[in-house]
Amino acid sequence: AGPKMQFGRKQATMLRSLVLLSACVAASAFAPTSGFVGTGRLAHAVKARSTAAAGPKMQFGNPFGTQPASTPPPAPMPASTGGMVPDMGRRNMMNALLLGSVAGPLLVLPAVLISFLVPAKAGGGGGGIVAKDALGNDVKVDDWIKAKGPGDRSLVQGLKGDATYLIVNDDKTLEKFGVNAVCTHLGCVVPWNKSANKFCCPCHGSQYDKNGKVVRGPAPLSLALAKRGEADGKVTLATWSETDFRTGEKPWWK
């Protein structure tokens, strides 16, 4: 769980950096530029006022009563927000970074989710997964046998995350199979009843023998089996694909 947690933190740090970079570029895209377009308007307004003030005097001093030639108004200047023109190059760069900051995480997120959801596989043992104890640690064969007595049936995390019983034989060896603890009736986790030498479901009373074969309903099927293996001294579990030795039939869980 440690490497996955560190990987998730690195992804979160990368996302925060991308968002911060996009915000900085967005702010710089609308920074003031060196060119202003309002200067021409101001000069035209000053000139118009001067002409209006001088007009009556020229008419009064003109003995022929002719009107002075009027100058054509200047062409209108393009309007802009605050008299500034945004830099189009910065806008394009900002749009590209915003697109990248959205598309990047969307492409990485599926890989992150898959890495968390798919259980880790062992390096050997026929491709089975490594069994985990209650704390999420790999189950080691020697340590497990030392901690458990003969006939012990204790739970580990097995295939698809299902609770699975490992069985310790009387000769202090692990049984070649594990028993899935999920009841075949409505999915309750079936505890091992040592005094009755059975798996007894507390939900609706279903019972299974010491190997997980159903002996009392309403459960319709026996508990699923898992093939127990070993890789690098660790317990591995894989799908049991052979004939169910308890019933002589094909496994229903395949």
Side-chain angles (χ1 to χ4, degrees):
K4 289 187 177 181
M5 183 65 71
Q6 294 178 2
F7 182 71
R9 289 178 179 173
K10 290 181 179 178
Q11 294 298 320
T13 303
M14 181 184 68
L15 293 179
R16 286 195 295 267
S17 300
L18 286 175
V19 172
L20 181 59
L21 179 59
S22 300
C24 292
V25 173
S28 64
F30 294 95
T33 58
S34 58
F36 289 86
V37 299
T39 307
R41 289 185 174 180
L42 179 60
H44 174 63
V46 173
K47 184 177 181 180
R49 288 189 178 182
S50 300
T51 304
K57 293 182 180 179
M58 292 182 64
Q59 292 177 4
F60 180 77
N62 185 359
F64 301 100
T66 58
Q67 299 293 333
S70 59
T71 57
M77 301 298 292
S80 61
T81 304
M84 296 176 289
V85 179
D87 190 338
M88 187 56 67
R90 292 182 180 177
R91 275 192 178 183
N92 293 336
M93 184 171 63
M94 178 195 70
N95 292 335
L97 285 176
L98 286 177
L99 179 61
S101 65
V102 173
L106 291 179
L107 294 176
V108 175
L109 185 60
V112 177
L113 293 177
I114 291 174
S115 67
F116 276 97
L117 295 176
V118 175
K121 293 185 177 181
I129 67 165
V130 176
K132 305 287 185 180
D133 61 17
L135 299 178
N137 301 317
D138 295 343
V139 176
K140 298 181 179 180
V141 176
D142 293 339
D143 294 343
W144 188 266
I145 292 176
K146 289 179 181 178
K148 311 296 180 181
D152 179 82
R153 285 162 172 77
S154 297
L155 289 172
V156 296
Q157 179 179 319
L159 298 171
K160 301 180 181 178
D162 288 347
T164 303
Y165 285 100
L166 292 182
I167 301 174
V168 180
N169 295 318
D170 293 337
D171 58 355
K172 296 286 286 184
T173 59
L174 282 179
E175 187 59 83
K176 65 179 181 179
F177 61 88
V179 179
N180 192 305
V182 179
C183 182
T184 58
H185 180 219
L186 291 179
C188 297
V189 174
V190 183
W192 167 248
N193 189 326
K194 187 176 181 179
S195 60
N197 201 33
K198 296 178 182 178
F199 295 100
C200 301
C201 182
C203 296
H204 302 96
S206 299
Q207 294 184 6
Y208 309 84
D209 69 10
K210 63 180 182 178
N211 292 328
K213 180 182 179 180
V214 62
V215 294
R216 174 181 170 181
L221 299 167
S222 300
L223 298 175
L225 294 175
K227 182 181 293 185
R228 200 274 309 168
E230 181 178 345
D232 300 326
K234 300 176 182 178
V235 176
T236 62
L237 295 171
T239 302
W240 184 282
S241 57
E242 292 85 356
T243 300
D244 187 345
F245 64 88
R246 303 166 301 182
T247 62
E249 299 176 355
K250 293 182 179 180
W252 60 263
W253 53 85
K254 284 189 60 180

